[in-house]
Amino acid sequence: QVQLVESGGGLVQPGGSLRLSCAASGSIFSMYAMGWYRQAPGKQRELVATIRSGGRTNYTDSVKGRFTISRDNAKSTVALQMNTLKPEDTAVYYCNAVWSVLSYWGQGTQVTVSS
């Protein structure tokens, strides 16, 4: 069992930056592939970025060059640095942990990009 708690969301102007953090507890964090997903109103949840246990990263095309995912296995945390934010990045952002057939989700944190 893994518990995930996100933090760092908020309101930011277009072109601004935010850093999301996800703290994990309850299992061996380093074994898990971690990811950030987002869900905008009226839309399906979509992948934003993932980072494997070995550190390999993957990003959806719309955030490449603007977002960076990272993990700290010693602290059991995963972060999403978001730069040059756009209004279309507005969504609830969710942290996800996957290992084998097991998948866990955080409660989500709201990111709003608006002037």
Side-chain angles (χ1 to χ4, degrees):
Q1 188 76 13
V2 175
Q3 294 79 43
L4 303 172
V5 179
E6 302 100 333
S7 61
L11 173 64
V12 63
Q13 292 186 344
S17 298
L18 279 176
R19 184 176 178 86
L20 305 183
S21 184
C22 173
S25 62
S27 190
I28 304 174
F29 177 80
S30 62
M31 296 171 55
Y32 285 78
M34 302 298 298
W36 287 96
Y37 291 71
R38 65 187 179 187
Q39 187 167 17
K43 295 187 177 181
Q44 289 188 332
R45 190 173 298 188
E46 65 171 354
L47 169 72
V48 176
T50 60
I51 183 166
R52 296 186 179 183
S53 57
R56 178 179 290 186
T57 59
N58 180 59
Y59 299 90
T60 192
D61 286 346
S62 63
V63 307
K64 285 180 179 177
R66 300 189 298 123
F67 291 10
T68 302
I69 189 171
S70 60
R71 66 189 296 161
D72 186 334
N73 290 335
K75 296 181 179 179
S76 297
T77 59
V78 60
L80 185 69
Q81 178 67 42
M82 305 185 295
N83 299 327
T84 320
L85 282 160
K86 304 176 180 180
E88 51 264 42
D89 295 318
T90 295
V92 178
Y93 284 70
Y94 297 91
C95 180
N96 174 252
V98 173
W99 180 63
S100 184
V101 298
L102 302 174
S103 180
Y104 302 96
W105 295 90
Q107 82 288 350
T109 186
Q110 176 71 47
V111 172
T112 303
V113 185
S114 175
S115 55

